[in-house]
Amino acid sequence: MMTIEAVNSLIARNIPASVNAIARELGIDQSGASRLVKNAIDTQYLEMSRCAGDGRRREITVTTAGHAILDQAHAWQEKVFAELTAGWNQQRRSDFRDAMSDLMVRSDAIEA
């Protein structure tokens, strides 16, 4: 799941999803990322193809099945978030989401 999420996140930020980029995104070594990518390809959640601009490079993308499982995971996360914040009003939930989003953007900027 984390591999699919990493690829999705890289693509959303217009960063080519190579094995090395995925490794950096996950904070693991290249060989570990390579095994995770292979497993996600074998289960048809990711696919690898030649880069249009450079045939020597490989691009990794999320498949339709990968997007479906991401949607399911995000729905589960929303359910858990709702349970964890059951006593919060909508403004507090919104403020918390905004703060977490800001931290993620800042984290991405620091790593870049």
Side-chain angles (χ1 to χ4, degrees), residues 42-99:
D42 290 347
T43 55
Q44 299 181 345
Y45 293 132
L46 297 178
E47 63 185 5
M48 186 181 299
S49 58
R50 291 188 187 275
C51 180
D54 182 351
R56 298 169 295 172
R57 297 186 134 191
R58 303 284 186 258
E59 282 185 334
I60 300 163
T61 56
V62 181
T63 64
T64 301
H67 282 292
I69 200 166
L70 275 178
D71 289 345
Q72 292 171 12
H74 293 164
W76 175 81
Q77 290 168 351
E78 288 298 321
K79 179 180 177 276
V80 170
F81 181 76
E83 291 172 7
L84 291 172
T85 61
W88 295 10
N89 64 32
Q90 191 56 40
Q91 183 63 49
R92 187 173 181 197
R93 283 185 177 132
S94 179
D95 289 346
F96 182 78
R97 282 183 194 273
D98 291 346

Side-chain angles (χ1 to χ4, degrees), residues 10 13 21 24-27 104-112:
L10 288 164
R13 296 187 334 255
R24 282 190 303 277
E25 186 79 359
L26 296 174
M104 295 303 295
V105 168
R106 289 173 187 242
S107 174
D108 292 340
I110 288 170
E111 291 176 12

Side-chain angles (χ1 to χ4, degrees), residues 13-52:
R13 296 187 334 255
N14 294 316
I15 298 170
S18 66
V19 171
N20 287 332
I22 294 166
R24 282 190 303 277
E25 186 79 359
L26 296 174
I28 62 176
D29 64 20
Q30 187 273 340
S31 64
S34 182
R35 284 190 299 276
L36 291 172
V37 167
K38 182 185 179 323
N39 184 35
I41 290 170
D42 290 347
T43 55
Q44 299 181 345
Y45 293 132
L46 297 178
E47 63 185 5
M48 186 181 299
S49 58
R50 291 188 187 275
C51 180

